Amino acid sequence: MANELQRRDSLFDNLMNMRNFFDDGFFPTQSTDYMKSDIAEDNNGYHVKIDMPGFDKKDIHVNYADGILTVSGHRDTFDDHTNKNGDIVQSERRYGQMSRSYRLPDVDLAKVSAKYNDGVLALELPKLTVENQNGTHIDIE
């Protein structure tokens, strides 16, 4: 029985080593290693920072609808990643259309601000106050 367990552990270790082999950079796996985000929330609103290095500000689009913030960007191909024969040796930088969505309810659209500096998109999304969440507040006597 102990030998059987040891063989299973060994098999598991071998499988994990295979996974690490295929995830060494030459065989990238699908992941969200782009548009890394930090989102903080306080009583006043949401504070969002998204890493978007290499994007032109004109190619970044921000939309908020139905409680969902969507940030997308487009980056054209890179012309500088070939060797002297024109062959790609290794390419890890992403290009094309990229997009991420975040569920952030009750945002006051009239007060949202966005800045893009040094490859980081910073968004301030104030929350709606009780008075303007439903249009008109009615007090009950």
Side-chain angles (χ1 to χ4, degrees):
M1 177 94 166
N3 287 337
E4 195 174 318
L5 289 176
Q6 186 175 7
R7 276 201 326 255
R8 286 185 186 163
D9 288 344
S10 185
L11 175 64
F12 180 75
D13 291 339
N14 288 338
L15 289 173
M16 291 309 293
N17 288 335
M18 290 278 292
R19 181 177 169 261
N20 292 338
F21 170 78
F22 286 108
D23 196 22
D24 69 353
F26 284 99
F27 301 98
T29 58
Q30 284 291 87
S31 67
T32 55
D33 61 347
Y34 60 96
M35 296 178 70
K36 297 277 187 179
S37 307
D38 292 335
I39 301 173
E41 178 183 12
D42 58 28
N43 291 335
N44 298 320
Y46 305 98
H47 314 280
V48 179
K49 290 184 180 179
I50 304 170
D51 286 347
M52 299 184 74
F55 282 89
D56 260 330
K57 185 168 66 170
K58 66 178 178 45
D59 295 328
I60 298 173
H61 304 283
V62 181
N63 185 48
Y64 183 86
D66 298 324
I68 298 186
L69 172 71
T70 302
V71 178
S72 61
H74 181 269
R75 184 169 42 199
D76 291 325
T77 60
F78 300 104
D79 295 329
D80 62 349
H81 60 18
T82 57
N83 65 10
K84 64 183 177 184
N85 298 324
D87 299 323
I88 296 174
V89 177
Q90 180 175 345
S91 180
E92 294 179 343
R93 299 184 295 170
R94 294 185 183 264
Y95 56 89
Q97 183 75 26
M98 296 171 214
S99 180
R100 293 228 22 215
S101 294
Y102 312 86
R103 180 171 299 284
L104 304 173
D106 303 324
V107 169
D108 188 348
L109 287 175
K111 297 179 182 176
V112 171
S113 67
K115 294 179 183 175
Y116 181 67
N117 190 27
D118 294 332
V120 178
L121 177 64
L123 299 155
E124 294 295 324
L125 299 109
K127 290 181 181 178
L128 290 168
T129 59
V130 174
E131 297 85 49
N132 59 11
Q133 277 184 358
N134 298 322
T136 304
H137 179 74
I138 301 171
D139 288 325
I140 300 174
E141 293 182 27

